Amino acid sequence: MQMNQKLKLMDKAIEIAESGRGRTSPNPFVGCVIVKDGKLIGEGVTQKCGSDHAEIQALKQAGAESNNSEMYVTLEPCCFQGRTPACTQAIIKAGVRKVYIGIKDPNPRVNGQGIIQLKAAGIEVEEGFRSAEITEQLEYYLTNMQKQRPFVILKSAITLDGYIAGADGSSKWITGEPARQKVHELRSEVDAIITGIGTILQDDPQLNNRNDGENHQPLRIVLDSSLRIPVRSKLVMSANEQKTLVFCCAAARAEKASALKELGVDVKVLKGGKLEIEAVLQELYRREISVVMLEAGEKLVSSFERAGLIDKYFIFIAPQLLGNGRQLLLLPEHGSMIERHLLQYKSVERIGEDILITAYNRR
């Protein structure tokens, strides 16, 4: 088969994988296609956690025609019994002749062992097709495996002169309706939203996904060392409808924690007198949270930025000038250009009257 055709088939697998975004966590969203004699006979995308992986979906669709076929899959097939059986064994049993793989799976339980199993069974394997595109597509999962923490996205809206709110804390609305709708789309793709107690006390947000037709609601996480969150806040009052997790310190009031738990809030007490961001992320990783979106004020955002823990930035810029107010970041220790944090633009797009800049951390 010509290289052009092989790349087109991997592109098809990437396209199919994208339909699983926000639906498979903590598993990666993977795409797979199966062809035989130049004809597409099966395709699949990873289902929700605990259900079929992409390869199994494609094999089911192809049926008996899988024998002597070729498979294109964006991520190396798993080779161990987890919540589901190993995909490598299903591929071998189906009689697939050759497997084209986008990238290796860095999961220590796979990490090339899937390829070894397939080759040992006499299946030809080629890897490295569209690896750059797939590495970006699976950035959440790859960060989980390589850094043992969730992928962190910062979402913020600022005026053209760089303010996220007025001096009095007011911020509604910096952006227009199309941009706010985009935010709800982003919320539908992440596992959780992180905010600080300051934002709760100032804005009393809902932090939910309000787009029509979307039923995924992210876990809402509040960093609140002293448990100041009001029991009548929107997050607490809706905790039975949308999961809410509050992190606090050991010195926080036990009676307040009990009251919150009775209202459906999950309260997690961390050791020490100060909430450490790294400890929060470690706990979220332990809970299999793959990707989080940070929607917070300058203090919490600055803490994440100083620690180098923001992986991706979604910054909405509105055509407004405020002149004074609260800034996106507060990094007082950075007094010269040599101390600046460098980013890499991914895209710049117009959304209604606003501009959305998507960028990555270059550190």
Side-chain angles (χ1 to χ4, degrees):
M1 187 180 291
Q2 295 294 322
M3 178 59 71
N4 255 0
Q5 185 60 23
K6 293 177 182 178
L7 293 175
K8 285 181 180 179
L9 287 166
M10 189 59 77
D11 286 339
K12 177 68 174 176
I14 293 171
E15 178 186 343
I16 292 169
E18 195 61 30
S19 68
R21 183 181 291 272
R23 304 173 188 275
T24 68
S25 186
N27 290 339
F29 49 100
V30 176
C32 178
V33 297
I34 300 175
V35 295
K36 188 173 183 178
D37 300 326
K39 180 183 176 183
L40 180 64
I41 60 172
E43 59 183 56
V45 62
T46 305
Q47 302 298 295
K48 67 179 181 179
C49 188
S51 300
D52 288 345
H53 291 188
E55 301 94 319
I56 305 304
Q57 285 275 299
L59 288 169
K60 285 180 176 178
Q61 190 176 110
E65 286 295 301
S66 297
N67 187 54
N68 205 35
S69 65
E70 296 185 348
M71 173 182 285
Y72 291 76
V73 62
T74 55
L75 183 70
E76 178 184 5
C78 68
C79 55
F80 63 91
Q81 171 73 48
R83 292 184 175 92
T84 57
C87 289
T88 49
Q89 295 307 307
I91 294 168
I92 294 167
K93 185 177 179 181
V96 174
R97 180 179 67 83
K98 188 167 186 176
V99 178
Y100 297 90
I101 294 170
I103 62 173
K104 282 184 180 178
D105 187 344
N107 185 330
R109 301 178 72 181
V110 185
N111 197 24
Q113 293 303 307
I115 293 171
I116 290 173
Q117 281 191 16
L118 294 174
K119 287 182 175 180
I123 297 174
E124 294 182 66
V125 178
E126 287 189 36
E127 58 178 295
F129 289 84
R130 298 295 196 212
S131 57
E133 292 86 346
I134 295 168
T135 296
E136 182 178 328
Q137 185 178 57
L138 293 179
E139 58 191 1
Y140 307 159
Y141 175 73
L142 298 179
T143 295
N144 301 160
M145 291 297 107
Q146 294 162 356
K147 298 183 178 181
Q148 286 77 56
R149 65 164 175 83
F151 187 91
V152 179
I153 296 170
L154 169 64
K155 187 282 298 179
S156 191
I158 63 174
T159 61
L160 190 57
D161 52 350
Y163 295 104
I164 61 171
D168 62 354
S170 59
S171 60
K172 293 183 179 179
W173 293 100
I174 289 178
T175 55
E177 180 58 35
R180 297 199 295 273
Q181 184 176 344
K182 177 66 176 178
V183 169
H184 291 296
E185 291 177 13
L186 295 174
R187 287 176 178 175
S188 75
E189 296 177 7
V190 302
D191 296 333
I193 297 171
I194 296 180
T195 196
I197 184 58
T199 298
I200 300 300
L201 296 176
Q202 175 67 44
D203 297 336
D204 193 19
Q206 298 182 65
L207 299 180
N208 58 0
N209 166 28
R210 296 192 288 275
N211 277 352
D212 293 338
E214 295 284 357
N215 55 19
H216 169 70
Q217 293 293 349
L219 169 68
R220 301 173 299 189
I221 300 168
V222 182
L223 306 191
D224 181 11
S225 58
S226 302
L227 280 187
R228 292 188 291 152
I229 186 169
V231 293
R232 302 298 298 177
S233 64
K234 291 176 182 176
L235 264 65
V236 174
M237 296 304 293
S238 60
N240 286 318
E241 287 75 48
Q242 185 176 350
K243 291 181 179 179
T244 303
L245 169 62
V246 176
F247 282 92
C248 66
C249 295
R253 294 171 292 164
E255 66 275 12
K256 181 66 173 290
S258 297
L260 291 171
K261 291 176 182 179
E262 287 181 7
L263 291 168
V265 177
D266 184 0
V267 178
K268 175 63 180 178
V269 180
L270 295 181
K271 296 178 181 179
K274 180 182 177 182
L275 287 180
E276 299 292 342
I277 295 172
E278 291 84 354
V280 169
L281 293 180
Q282 287 173 6
E283 174 62 20
L284 296 180
Y285 178 74
R286 188 188 68 79
R287 295 183 182 218
E288 297 188 316
I289 300 296
S290 175
V291 53
V292 301
M293 190 154 69
L294 181 61
E295 297 191 38
E298 62 184 13
K299 289 183 179 179
L300 187 56
V301 170
S302 298
S303 295
F304 271 83
E305 179 64 23
R306 282 194 296 268
L309 291 171
I310 300 176
D311 300 296
K312 193 172 187 178
Y313 303 74
F314 287 110
I315 307 297
F316 294 86
I317 303 177
Q320 303 170 20
L321 297 172
L322 192 54
N324 187 25
R326 298 184 180 179
Q327 298 176 307
L328 172 62
L329 288 168
L330 187 62
L331 303 174
E333 71 275 25
H334 293 180
S336 68
M337 290 294 286
I338 198 170
E339 296 173 300
R340 60 190 167 177
H341 292 180
L342 299 179
L343 307 183
Q344 179 178 356
Y345 283 166
K346 167 61 180 173
S347 64
V348 179
E349 58 183 304
R350 180 82 172 264
I351 299 182
E353 294 297 313
D354 306 306
I355 292 173
L356 170 59
I357 294 179
T358 304
Y360 288 99
N361 194 331
R362 281 177 55 186
R363 285 184 289 173

